[in-house]
Amino acid sequence: MNYTYLVHTIKMRQLFKLCVPVILRCLTRRLHFWRRRWSSQAPSSTVLHDFHLAHGGRMVPFAGWSMPVQYGDLSIINSVLHTRKHASLFDVSHMLQMEITGRDAQDFLERVTVADVKHLPLGSSSLSLLTSPSGGIIDDCIVTRTGAESFFIVANAGCAEKDLTHLKAQLCEFKGGSAAVNLMLLEDRSLLALQGPQMFPALQQGVSADLSALLFMNSAVMEVLGVPGCRVSRCGYTGEDGVEISVPSDRAVELAEQLLSLEGVKLAGLGARDTLRLEAGLCLYGNDITLETTPIEAGLAWCISKRRRKEGGFIGDTVILQQLKDKPARRRIGLTSAGPPARSGAVVLDSGGEEVGVVTSGCPSPVLGCNIAMAYVPRTVSKTGTKLKLKVRKNITPAEVVKMPFVKTNYYLKS
């Protein structure tokens, strides 16, 4: 027997066993790298992508989509101010649109959201939350009743995959999987938002319905500027009077061009939208609300009606309702400050310099002329008027807890 050959063979086999896992790990890492690189280089596009480019839109990746952050003719600051004084058109077609229908649709939605779906009138909408068993927020969404057994849902683009996985899993569990509930994605529809005080006089001339009868958080199907089958919802993400228009995607560019031609209307992008929503005290999922925050900590207890507080029945109700009773240990607050603006991740200090919290969103406010921010801090230092400090890079700047919204909202409410 050739012992030298045998020893060599054994050593080669041992080396092979050691090397193969290493090689596989390296190949897996490279595969993940190229997947990430490919996905970052090729985000999804809305049907308005070429429309944005033609109008000077500066495109950036956002939540897996290529979206305009601003347009060449307006800075973000001026775009914010234009929206507050006139009207701006936003493409929000990246948002998740779906229908939930069926005999058990109402009961299903009362299970997966905190909304009082049972008492939601026809054509009315409710801002609500998808919650986890631990009481955390999976996503925020708008639920609209479109019929006795049908609902229109709009949720965040960045949470689309997570939301759908959660909802499908809950459908399987709901009533043993035998419930009469259908979930349908509205992949053939786009979403446009026209926001600002000039929305009403500009749009009224081009719709088939009386917009003065359409109050905040109400919705109706109508023809808009010659495009039939549009669902117009009086809501938005700016704090101003406005509408969101769900439109067939094959007519979206046509409708966008016509909306842009209305008096006082200019295009606005993600940059202005983020500042507008922060001035209005509205949360951004992934920053101000996450799986680690509860509705009570986030100051969203108003989303839970008296009946739902009494009866519960939604996922995470035990944790959330107990926290509502006991009060949370920390709270989302509003802050104003001077000096360099605090952005997400900036540290919040108490008056003695001890770290007490973290900023979740922040920017300069074009309307107020000062910096604004949201943060989570212990309840003991969350009272309006409390003096705190913000650590912005190497700077320590004074800040004060203030009520939100920072800028007065102008929703079209019943007088």
Side-chain angles (χ1 to χ4, degrees), residues 150-164:
S150 59
F151 300 87
F152 172 56
I153 317 292
V154 178
N156 285 301
C159 297
E161 185 176 349
K162 176 179 67 172
D163 289 354
L164 291 173

Side-chain angles (χ1 to χ4, degrees), residues 26-47:
C26 290
L27 288 173
T28 301
R29 286 171 184 164
R30 294 305 295 172
L31 179 61
H32 288 165
F33 168 79
W34 284 109
R35 278 178 176 171
R36 288 195 302 270
R37 185 170 180 181
W38 180 85
S39 64
S40 65
Q41 290 179 344
S44 300
S45 298
T46 74
V47 296

